Amino acid sequence: MSEKIRVLLEEEQVDKRIREVAEQISRDYAGKQIHMICILKGGVFFTCELAKRVTVPVSLDFMSVSSYGSGTESSGVVRIVKDLDESIEGKEVLIVEDIIDSGRTLAYLIEMLKKRNPKSIHLCTLLDKPERRVKKQVTVDYTCFTIPDEFVVGYGLDYDQKYRNLPYIGVVEL
């Protein structure tokens, strides 16, 4: 293992911010039920932490998507690896992601999900890299942290399937 991990966001900072975002979501959805769609695999840690702090009723479903491209660049051509188990028609949908950068995959996903007639679709992310955004129409409604363009791991984010279980957000330094 030649990688060194530099701590970007401490576990306490991440926990505190997730609690704050959950409180905002609970206020915004007061009197409603949220249908959270977790984007696998990276989003699972954040989704679980967020869901248990939201005070309005929550139902959960999962999607796994793969975007083709060369190396680390997404082409925006999306393949659904695991689709939703339930209909989202008439539901208040909150897509939960670990990180958003170019927005290509999410732009495709949101357009596809809109065709399934949810009552609303909003987007929540643990980490946002807006300087890498290619698809400007992707609007993030709830962001825990805006981060610089660095390769991050922890809290579900991985490097070659490693480091997902770190309780903090770190930067991989090769």
Side-chain angles (χ1 to χ4, degrees):
M1 215 183 325
S2 58
E3 307 91 37
K4 183 175 174 248
I5 308 297
R6 172 176 50 87
V7 176
L8 179 66
L9 298 164
E10 297 281 352
E11 181 178 6
E12 295 76 19
Q13 287 175 275
V14 176
D15 286 344
K16 179 178 185 282
R17 185 66 186 130
I18 291 172
R19 195 173 316 110
E20 292 168 354
V21 169
E23 288 169 3
Q24 182 62 51
I25 290 169
S26 297
R27 283 192 298 274
D28 292 352
Y29 286 88
K32 300 175 184 174
Q33 176 169 330
I34 303 171
H35 189 68
M36 286 188 183
I37 297 176
C38 171
I39 307 301
L40 298 171
K41 295 178 184 173
V44 75
F45 289 80
F46 174 48
T47 302
C48 291
E49 292 301 314
L50 181 67
K52 70 184 186 184
R53 290 169 173 84
V54 168
T55 57
V56 298
V58 171
S59 57
L60 275 177
D61 208 341
F62 301 87
M63 282 190 98
S64 181
V65 295
S66 171
S67 55
Y68 294 106
S70 58
T72 58
E73 289 295 313
S74 165
S75 65
V77 177
V78 178
R79 182 173 65 96
I80 304 299
V81 178
K82 187 228 172 285
D83 205 340
L84 299 173
D85 293 329
E86 299 176 29
S87 167
I88 59 170
E89 189 168 345
K91 294 182 179 179
E92 304 278 358
V93 170
L94 182 64
I95 299 170
V96 183
E97 264 282 23
D98 54 356
I99 189 166
I100 300 172
D101 49 33
S102 74
R104 285 186 180 109
T105 302
L106 272 169
Y108 173 86
L109 202 56
I110 289 168
E111 285 310 306
M112 185 193 79
L113 291 174
K114 280 181 180 176
K115 293 174 185 166
R116 299 182 186 187
N117 301 316
K119 186 168 187 178
S120 68
I121 295 181
H122 290 96
L123 184 54
C124 179
T125 190
L126 178 61
L127 305 173
D128 192 9
K129 290 185 184 177
E131 69 188 64
R132 288 189 40 95
R133 192 86 75 249
V134 173
K135 295 292 187 179
K136 304 294 184 194
Q137 74 269 33
V138 172
T139 304
V140 184
D141 301 285
Y142 304 99
T143 302
C144 289
F145 298 97
T146 300
I147 62 167
D149 187 14
E150 296 184 285
F151 193 86
V152 290
V153 294
Y155 234 89
L157 296 142
D158 73 298
Y159 173 68
D160 196 24
Q161 294 297 328
K162 296 182 292 193
Y163 309 119
R164 284 190 198 278
N165 61 324
L166 294 176
Y168 57 88
I169 306 295
V171 176
V172 175
E173 296 179 337
L174 299 172

